[in-house]
Amino acid sequence: MAPSTKAQWAQPPSKEELERRNTVNINKETVTNTVSTDFPGHFPGEDHAFSIDRFQSGFDITFHQNDQFHASFSLVGIDASLANAFRRILIAEIPTLAIENVFITNNTSVIQDEVLAHRLGLIPFKGGREGLRNFLRFKKGEDAQDYDTVQLDLNVTCTVNTDASPNETDPLKAYHNAHVYAKDITFTPQGRQEQYFSGEDAIVPVNPDILIAKMRPRQTIELSMYMNLGVGSDHSKFSPVATASYRLMPTIKITKPIIGADAQKFANCFPEGVIGLEKVSKKEAGQRGSGYEGHAGELKAVVVDPMRDTVSRECLRHEEFEGKVQLGRRRDHFIFSVESTGQWDSDELFLEAVKKLKQKCKKLEDQVDNMVR
Amino acid sequence: MPFVDDGFEALLEPFYNGKKLTDPISTKEDKFQLLPAFLKVKGLVKQHIDSYNFFVEHEIKEIVRANRTIRSDVDSNFWLEFRDIRVLRPRRQDHADIKTRKEVSPMECRLRDMTYAAPIEVDIVYIRDKQKISRKNVPLGRMPVMLKSSRCWLSGATNAQMESMNECPLDPGGYFIINGTEKVILIQEQLSKNRVIVEADEKNNIITASCTSSTHERKSKTSVTLKKDKITLVHNVLVENIPIVIVLKAMGGLSDYEIMQLVAGSDGRYQDEFVINFDEATRVGVFTQQQALEYIGARVKMGSKRGQFGPMPRRNNIEDGLDALSNLVVAHVPIEGLDFYPKAIYLAMMTRKVLMASQNTKLVDDRDFVGNKRLELAGQLLSLLFEDHFKRFMGEVKLSIDKFLKKHNRGVALDAVQMVSNHANTIGMGINRAIQTGNWTVKRFNMNRAGVTHVLSRLSYISALGMMTRISSQFEKTRKVSGPRALQPSQWGMLCTSDTPEGEACGLVKNLALMTHITTNVEEEPVKRWVFTLDAGVEPIRNFSGAEMHREGNFMIHINGTPFALTRYPKRFAHKFRTMRRRGWISPFVSININTHFNAVHIATDEGRICRPYIIVKNGQQKLKPEHLRLLQMGRATFDDFLRKGVVEYLDVNEENDALITIYEDQITQSTTHLEIEPFTILGAVAGLIPFPHHNQSPRNTYQCAMGKQAIGAIAYNQFNRIDTLLYTLVYPQRPMVISKTIQLVHYDKLPAGQNATVVVMSYSGYDIEDALVLNKASIDRGFGRCQVFRKYATELIKLPNGKKDRMGNPDYTLEKHAILDVDGLATVGYQVKSGEVMVKKETPEDQTSTGIGLDRGSNMFRDASISYRIPDPAYIDKVMLSRTEKDSMVVKVQTRQTRRPELGDKFSSRHGQKGVVGIIVDQEDMPFADSGVTPDIIMNPHGFPSRMTVGKLLECLTGKASIVHGRPDYGFGDAFRSHPLEEMSKVLVDHGFSWEGKDYFTSGITGEPLEAYIFNGPIYYQRLKHMVQDKMHSRAHGPMAILTRQPTEGRSRDGGLRLGEMERDCLIAYGASQLLLERLMISSDGTEIDICQQCGLFGYKGYCHTCKSTREVAKMTMPYAAKLLVQELISMNVGVRLQLEDEFPHPKQV
């Protein structure tokens, strides 16, 4: 880096400089400028100490999609370490209810006890929010209590369907209970669970059609299951998300005009809707040194919606675009994607993650306090 | 025709490449459809089955017909004749006629430790009381039945029938079940019989033409050797080498001039070289046939007097010589009516070959040429064995008949049936024992081979299949010759180029390629008749003299290596012959080829030749037309129809040399004779699993062939009904994302062994060096690589000869180790069993020996003989089986089950010979993630690529990724030489917003910041290999000692110690750590306190020396028990050993 002059000491960084600092460069074979530099002491004369006001003014959340099973939203003006902390908490640390113990009374199906138990454990369940959030607690000790253990049962026997035609080859029609689904699991509330998990709020599988086992006549599965709260770092069945991840906002900078057939090809290098084609206006064509001279009326490529870009870098592969385009990603713009398994709503999960982080910070604060004392 | 779903229907009916009936067919694209059609009738394991069928249906009858009569030496009026022999279908040995179900299924045999065997029945005719009596269906023991052979219940069974028999429809068959274990008779590779092979020993300047003659009676080797210009005949039965001229003279009727012509023709060079041999005969004074026979007869080995029974009449030398020449020297050329001319021609031909090779070294034969090899299959091996046993059986029957007839005052008339049934079991028992032990002993050939049969490896479906195509060579493994191990160009398309083990058996154990067929014997006589009827220009060789035989332009026609006829128009003849074969008049497996070096036409009809089908090309046009494929598609034609119509034909390795074969349709020229059906058939079934093998470094494919057999997966549809000693299964096996046609053809996609892992190629954490893998914990939680291990524990409740029996004991619930036992003394199904717990509470009588007669009764107590679980990790009881064996004793089998998730140190491998162990298991949140949220299942270190050059793995990854984003499972094919083009894959990736080269932007899961490089990622099929840490890890602080040496035991299974070996010892010596050495080698091992008498230097006992009768000088010291043992052993061998002790620090008192 060029030695800084005295003038720069006084002046705040230019807009271009800020933009440069805030962009991760997407090059043909490498990604550069990946590390954030906005921490105190990195740039002489600049103050990057964390201030809540500055954070508040720069921070912004916009939702792109918000469904039960999928939420997509942008966090702008936040550091990667924080965004990543949320992501990690989402995956591994939000308490979730899942089957932990299976007591098999009778299992004459072809599926082995351990495999059956493993399959049951992975089924996501939902239930009354209030109960899940405020009533249930982590289990401590051996004894099960109504506030830490939920009991489920599964009792199915496969029988011949006497109504089916004798030539029926589809086992689902020829037999009753040929397939055991998640919906066959029954829930019996214990103690105060009646209050929290009844009616609409009963604990049931999120997806009733998850196939657990296949059976043939005279085979039986008879078992009871006990659910506990757990965290994803223990076992991924306790993870409330299918996955939670983020990507950085892509930026596409067309540095030299791309016109005509090249423009069409350029647009094809991106997913639909990222690059638009516009006619070169007379004004642009008239401007000297713009590169548009004499191309009035032809199509030029313009960036329409960089968020839809998947950053396939296809445009960097072709010779004709060399030096004409610069790809990058905004360092502080995180497009989150949270896919809930159904026990929580996706947006709710993010709030839960924030809450969890807050708790952890509190804990740390206490510990620091203790240390200092 | 009944609908037989053998798995090929799905491939044949709608074109499985996504083609519909209405789509156009191009012969170029779709000719591979011939492959499933071929595999339906031939190939893979069908050769075993064909060979066994041939034996059971024809060969066995031939053998019996050849030795059908027994005549008595005592009563010349008596005779017994075997009219017919039949092998029935498998039946229970213990069946009673009252019970209806006599049939026994293979599964029952496996479970009940029985032999899957069928009764043999014979029809006999014999003389009783001067009357001819005919008896039908006399039982003659039991013959083990090959699964899926024509005698097996499984042959032609539909899927539903297979299921009702608890059998897997995809099981290849071709093996036997002997006492409950599955046994395979491996294909044996041998040098061809009855053919002349010329070899040169360049060091000693010897040229030999040798021929191993094999007839039903005997096997012998004859060779003609050129050494120091002299040509001699060498044979086992002759004490010394006989000059060839003497041998030819002994054949009679040949003048010197004729001999010269027969050998050398009119070629001056050969004449000059041969003429010296006449001096040899003159020198020893042999001029006439009589003298020659005398000369030879005098040199016939004594003790070679043959003949089985009765005293041999004394014979003179001439008779000996005549006998040796007619029956032993080139024994396979028959002598009819003392006409030695054919044999003389044969020997002259051998001599001529030697002469030619001495003139032109290029004419020396190559032993490793596949055309000179014959493969021996189960049927042939069994027929050798059966013939031997049958002959012995006949001898025994004859002996007992003679014994009976010798009695002068016998009360009842001779009942031969009784005699036959008395000895009937020897045949079946003998064959049974041979298959079980693998020791093939045929007395008349002096054959004694060990290791012919192997237990069928059921580790994975592929390992079982791979075993069926395995060929073992007769070569010694220890010899350091490279020739037989090297890849031979003539192996092309016949033997797999990749599938061979590493190490000592490398190149000696081979595997069949996908389209190989092994011929069975075709009768020679009809072919001989065809030779003369085909072409007017062919005349029997008997009509010609040597001069005519060897005249320029005359071609000798050999049938199975024996000169037979002469023609001037070999090409015309071969052409006509081939035309008749293509029309189906001659068996398609008869081969003909012209050898211009020796001016010979060779016709081969023998068994064991390796051959392969090709599409016929004529006049630059291939015979396969789109309409043929259309017929195939509609199921109206089979492969054999095409064979009959002259569209395809089989060529063996020798005939291949006469053909010009192109691989691709567009390379056909006017001179092309054949077109390959599919280039990827150069590989075998196991190598066919590798995607893009043509992009890999060749040893990598070989490594994968070895590892594919260790992969855990599905074994068979009936895997949970079987009780195998050790069974590994994968909980969630997946069909590979990138498949090949071979995978579909061998049904690997139905019984897969592996899972499609999302692999990211980057370095991570440092726990991934040296091929270690990083695994995602969440993937493991969700079932990746989860496998099950089943183990069998079996015991038999035996009846002792004294009438006492083993029994099941009652569990004693106060004992902790009986916790899982049910009241019947057997483990309860579903219970967890921990180390040390009893699974079968068996009790055996204390008294094993008493006779029970008189007062010899013995105790009535029982001793505990229970089976307990010994493995440190607990398991669950999966199955308990009770049954009875054929011996009517009860068998108890307990199967335990463990479910294992991958752990640190477990071994995984991709399909490209890239194995690695799990180095670290990482939480999902720490894993790098892509924009789409994808986290890897496996992180692989990129250093695995540059030196290994497994480009195929990269292509698999990219193709797999494209298939996934495209959403079509049958999208990318990775077949050798016809794989899906890479450009299309890249196009698909770009269309779906990925980078064209498969490398994507990833974010670190730890820092949350982008990674500085784009990361190559995609699905790669990973196999979990059977080597798991849990089965190998071992440590011990203290534990059992060996009885003899009192040193720690050896090996994990005995809880053994870890040896501080010689090299480790050297280190400690060099370092000077003497106290550590003392501790490791003595104190922690076998240190013992010993009393030593300082007076006599011998061992004392309890402080007293028995030699000196005193306690005075006895000192105590510690020494290794092994050293004490050595001293005592030396003493026992009369080597005196005295131990002299000295104080290193002398005692102050004594000073």
Side-chain angles (χ1 to χ4, degrees), chain A residues 31-105:
Chain A
V31 184
T32 51
N33 199 23
T34 57
V35 184
S36 56
T37 50
D38 52 345
F39 47 83
H42 191 268
F43 295 105
E46 288 178 26
D47 174 28
H48 283 292
F50 185 81
S51 98
I52 195 79
D53 296 331
R54 200 160 2 161
F55 176 73
Q56 274 174 343
S57 68
F59 185 66
D60 181 40
I61 295 188
T62 26
F63 267 85
H64 309 297
Q65 191 189 352
N66 191 4
D67 300 327
Q68 188 195 356
F69 293 109
H70 187 208
S72 173
F73 50 87
S74 288
L75 297 188
V76 189
I78 191 171
D79 189 69
S81 54
L82 272 177
N84 192 39
F86 292 136
R87 184 190 68 87
R88 293 170 60 93
I89 290 171
L90 278 169
I91 292 172
E93 285 180 79
I94 293 175
T96 309
L97 191 67
I99 295 170
E100 175 71 352
N101 291 306
V102 179
F103 288 77
I104 296 176
T105 320

Side-chain angles (χ1 to χ4, degrees), chain B residues 295-393:
Chain B
Y295 183 90
I296 296 168
R299 282 158 186 80
V300 172
K301 243 177 225 166
M302 298 303 284
S304 69
K305 303 275 183 266
R306 292 160 302 104
Q308 277 124 351
F309 302 103
M312 280 296 286
R314 273 202 54 78
R315 297 192 303 189
N316 57 29
N317 279 346
I318 292 184
E319 278 175 344
D320 272 348
L322 210 56
D323 181 65
L325 278 190
S326 59
N327 292 324
L328 297 172
V329 174
V330 282
H332 67 283
V333 181
I335 301 291
E336 281 158 19
L338 280 187
D339 176 13
F340 275 99
Y341 194 55
K343 199 164 258 189
I345 294 174
Y346 200 90
L347 284 175
M349 176 188 80
M350 287 172 78
T351 317
R352 187 179 165 84
K353 282 198 170 177
V354 171
L355 285 177
M356 289 171 90
S358 79
Q359 298 278 339
N360 180 3
T361 43
K362 282 180 189 164
L363 295 179
V364 173
D365 287 315
D366 183 0
R367 282 179 138 249
D368 305 323
F369 177 61
V370 181
N372 290 332
K373 298 273 172 89
R374 294 291 180 269
L375 300 186
E376 242 176 1
L377 287 157
Q380 289 158 51
L381 286 163
L382 277 179
S383 86
L384 282 180
L385 204 64
F386 178 81
E387 189 168 356
D388 205 51
H389 284 297
F390 188 71
K391 280 182 175 160
R392 195 172 314 146
F393 157 78

Side-chain angles (χ1 to χ4, degrees), chain A residues 329-346:
Chain A
R329 309 194 94 165
R330 296 260 321 254
R331 186 197 309 290
D332 66 346
H333 187 150
F334 298 89
I335 304 167
F336 257 85
S337 162
V338 180
E339 292 172 36
S340 166
T341 56
Q343 197 167 101
W344 305 74
D345 284 346
S346 298

Side-chain angles (χ1 to χ4, degrees), chain B residues 853-1144:
Chain B
I853 302 167
L855 293 172
D856 187 15
R857 293 215 172 267
S859 85
N860 277 327
M861 303 293 282
F862 279 82
R863 189 162 49 77
D864 181 66
S866 49
I867 298 182
S868 47
Y869 185 75
R870 292 256 154 257
I871 295 163
D873 299 272
Y876 295 93
I877 305 292
D878 190 67
K879 268 189 223 78
V880 176
M881 191 201 79
L882 292 177
S883 184
R884 271 178 195 286
T885 60
E886 280 172 334
K887 286 169 283 173
D888 208 37
S889 56
M890 189 157 84
V891 266
V892 180
K893 289 185 180 180
V894 177
Q895 193 172 38
T896 63
R897 154 173 43 94
Q898 278 183 314
T899 304
R900 299 179 179 175
R901 49 184 276 156
E903 61 177 325
L904 241 58
D906 283 355
K907 200 172 170 188
F908 283 80
S909 124
S910 71
R911 284 182 290 171
H912 303 270
Q914 300 248 33
K915 53 177 184 271
V917 292
V918 178
I920 189 173
I921 296 170
V922 172
D923 289 336
Q924 188 192 346
E925 63 268 25
D926 289 334
M927 280 281 177
F929 58 95
D931 278 357
S932 50
V934 164
T935 49
D937 296 319
I938 290 177
I939 299 181
M940 187 207 153
N941 193 303
H943 288 98
F945 282 115
S947 57
R948 320 270 164 77
M949 294 180 276
T950 51
V951 181
K953 188 165 172 175
L954 301 175
L955 297 186
E956 181 194 347
C957 183
L958 200 84
T959 309
K961 196 172 172 184
S963 314
I964 283 180
V965 295
H966 205 55
R968 260 178 62 187
D970 59 341
Y971 186 64
F973 273 85
D975 288 273
F977 313 115
R978 56 138 52 218
S979 57
H980 224 122
L982 190 66
E983 292 76 14
E984 266 178 52
M985 298 297 144
S986 285
K987 179 90 182 30
V988 170
L989 284 179
V990 169
D991 289 347
H992 288 83
F994 289 90
S995 163
W996 65 283
E997 52 181 355
K999 298 196 322 194
D1000 294 317
Y1001 169 99
F1002 268 75
T1003 310
S1004 163
I1006 301 171
T1007 66
E1009 284 167 345
L1011 298 179
E1012 292 195 338
Y1014 301 112
I1015 310 290
F1016 187 69
N1017 72 92
I1020 298 178
Y1021 196 65
Y1022 261 81
Q1023 303 163 314
R1024 181 164 191 197
L1025 305 185
K1026 62 168 185 181
H1027 306 283
M1028 282 177 276
V1029 167
Q1030 210 191 88
D1031 302 323
K1032 308 214 163 162
M1033 69 174 188
H1034 171 52
S1035 70
R1036 105 168 198 177
H1038 51 85
M1041 299 286 181
I1043 304 163
L1044 180 70
T1045 59
R1046 303 203 183 162
Q1047 287 172 355
T1049 50
E1050 208 180 319
R1052 185 183 120 100
S1053 54
R1054 275 167 296 209
D1055 191 23
L1058 297 164
R1059 184 180 151 92
L1060 186 110
E1062 261 168 277
M1063 297 172 91
E1064 291 81 358
R1065 185 206 62 152
D1066 293 345
C1067 289
L1068 293 181
I1069 291 172
Y1071 191 74
S1074 59
Q1075 289 302 304
L1076 179 60
L1077 264 178
L1078 188 72
E1079 187 213 293
R1080 286 293 94 201
L1081 297 181
M1082 189 171 79
I1083 298 166
S1084 299
S1085 175
D1086 58 344
T1088 22
E1089 289 261 292
I1090 296 287
D1091 291 322
I1092 293 169
C1093 175
Q1094 291 182 60
Q1095 197 165 331
C1096 61
L1098 295 171
F1099 293 139
Y1101 180 65
K1102 282 196 172 172
Y1104 177 76
C1105 175
H1106 277 267
T1107 326
C1108 307
K1109 310 280 182 213
S1110 109
T1111 54
R1112 241 165 50 107
E1113 298 278 310
V1114 177
K1116 267 195 190 305
M1117 70 165 294
T1118 321
M1119 70 189 291
Y1121 188 81
K1124 180 228 132 191
L1125 219 73
L1126 173 75
V1127 170
Q1128 287 180 325
E1129 275 179 35
L1130 283 172
I1131 289 172
S1132 74
M1133 288 190 292
N1134 266 346
V1135 178
V1137 182
R1138 303 286 139 119
L1139 299 166
Q1140 264 186 9
L1141 306 187
E1142 239 173 67
D1143 282 333
E1144 195 171 1

Side-chain angles (χ1 to χ4, degrees), chain B residues 394-575:
Chain B
M394 296 289 271
E396 280 167 14
V397 172
K398 178 181 148 68
L399 230 67
S400 53
I401 286 171
D402 279 356
K403 214 194 246 159
F404 188 91
L405 290 176
K406 253 182 223 155
K407 290 181 202 159
H408 292 295
N409 49 351
R410 39 181 196 267
V412 284
L414 172 72
D415 188 19
V417 179
Q418 196 72 48
M419 303 286 177
V420 169
S421 8
N422 279 348
H423 298 282
N425 268 337
T426 56
I427 298 176
M429 298 273 274
I431 293 176
N432 233 0
R433 196 177 318 113
I435 299 178
Q436 188 168 24
T437 59
N439 294 327
W440 233 251
T441 324
V442 181
K443 287 233 172 88
R444 74 209 137 94
F445 290 165
N446 274 333
M447 185 167 121
N448 206 339
R449 264 190 242 162
V452 176
T453 62
H454 286 255
V455 176
L456 180 63
S457 148
R458 285 285 189 179
L459 210 58
S460 66
Y461 174 64
I462 279 301
S463 77
L465 198 67
M467 203 153 193
M468 303 309 304
T469 60
R470 191 163 308 159
I471 301 165
S472 80
S473 166
Q474 238 40 83
F475 252 92
E476 291 161 60
K477 288 177 182 167
T478 45
R479 270 215 265 160
K480 282 219 172 113
V481 278
S482 61
R485 295 171 185 269
L487 192 62
Q488 243 278 336
S490 54
Q491 278 186 21
W492 167 283
M494 303 286 178
L495 303 173
C496 180
T497 53
S498 288
D499 195 1
T500 179
E502 299 160 64
E504 58 166 13
C506 184
L508 297 178
V509 172
K510 304 180 194 80
N511 274 272
L512 294 175
L514 211 55
M515 272 204 137
T516 318
H517 176 70
I518 299 169
T519 58
T520 48
N521 196 22
V522 177
E523 249 187 284
E524 213 175 78
E525 282 310 316
V527 178
K528 280 183 176 171
R529 279 201 295 277
W530 270 110
V531 169
F532 295 123
T533 39
L534 269 179
D535 196 306
V538 179
E539 276 192 71
I541 196 106
R542 187 73 189 78
N543 301 355
F544 296 97
S545 72
E548 289 155 318
M549 279 179 216
H550 302 311
R551 187 171 297 153
E552 192 60 41
N554 277 357
F555 278 67
M556 229 191 260
I557 298 171
H558 297 70
I559 289 191
N560 288 331
T562 311
F564 173 66
L566 206 65
T567 179
R568 282 197 71 80
Y569 311 102
K571 282 197 172 165
R572 190 177 77 189
F573 171 71
H575 179 80

